[in-house]
Amino acid sequence: QVQLVESGGGSVQTGGSLRLSCAVSGMNMNAVCMGWFRQSPEKRREGVAVIRGGETDYADSVKGRFTIIRDLAKNTLFLHMSNLRPEDTAMYYCAASRNLICGPWMVRPTEAFSDWGRGTQVTVSS
C-alpha cells in the first residue's frame, strides 16, 4: 500500500526558508515520477516541482528558489524552499505517479499523479 506523509511546513517571514519532507512507503521512488504541488483557497492545485530519474523540473514561479531532492536510501522526497514570498503560502502536497510519466503536472496534476499525501501548510508573512 502506497503511503506519502508530508512534514516540515510552518510559518515564516518573507525571505525565510523551509524544508519539506515526504516519507514514502509502498513504492519504488526510482520507478515513478514524484512531485510537489500546492493549493491555496483561491487557486487550483498547481505543480511546483517534479523529479524523474535524475531529472528535475520546476514551475517558473519557484525556479532558483526551490530545490526538489530525493533520498532513495531513506525513501524520502524533499523540497528545499528559500527566499519565500507571501504568494508561496499554500498547502503543499507530495505526490507520485504510477510510472515515469509526469504528464501535464503543472496544470493538471491529477492526470498522471495518482497517489497523494495529506499535505503540510506553509504560511509566509510579509
Side-chain angles (χ1 to χ4, degrees):
Q1 182 179 354
V2 175
Q3 194 169 20
L4 307 173
V5 180
E6 303 95 336
S7 62
S11 297
V12 297
Q13 292 187 326
T14 297
S17 300
L18 283 172
R19 186 185 75 165
L20 305 184
S21 300
C22 175
V24 180
S25 59
M27 67 161 49
N28 178 359
M29 291 178 62
N30 203 33
V32 299
C33 180
M34 297 205 67
W36 286 96
F37 302 83
R38 64 187 182 187
Q39 187 169 14
S40 56
E42 63 272 13
K43 291 185 180 179
R44 294 167 55 182
R45 190 168 297 190
E46 62 179 3
V48 174
V50 294
I51 184 166
R52 177 183 62 183
E55 299 180 352
T56 59
D57 198 8
Y58 298 88
D60 287 344
S61 60
V62 305
K63 278 181 182 175
R65 301 188 298 124
F66 290 12
T67 303
I68 186 170
I69 296 172
R70 62 180 190 176
D71 185 329
L72 297 178
K74 295 182 179 180
N75 284 340
T76 304
L77 183 72
F78 298 100
L79 184 68
H80 292 262
M81 307 186 294
S82 62
N83 194 17
L84 284 162
R85 306 167 180 168
E87 53 264 39
D88 294 319
T89 295
M91 185 71 79
Y92 282 71
Y93 300 90
C94 167
S97 69
R98 291 295 174 93
N99 47 43
L100 288 171
I101 297 174
C102 301
W105 60 273
M106 286 191 195
V107 293
R108 295 196 302 275
T110 58
E111 190 163 312
F113 287 81
S114 54
D115 294 295
W116 293 81
R118 293 189 175 184
T120 186
Q121 177 68 36
V122 171
T123 303
V124 184
S125 57
S126 57

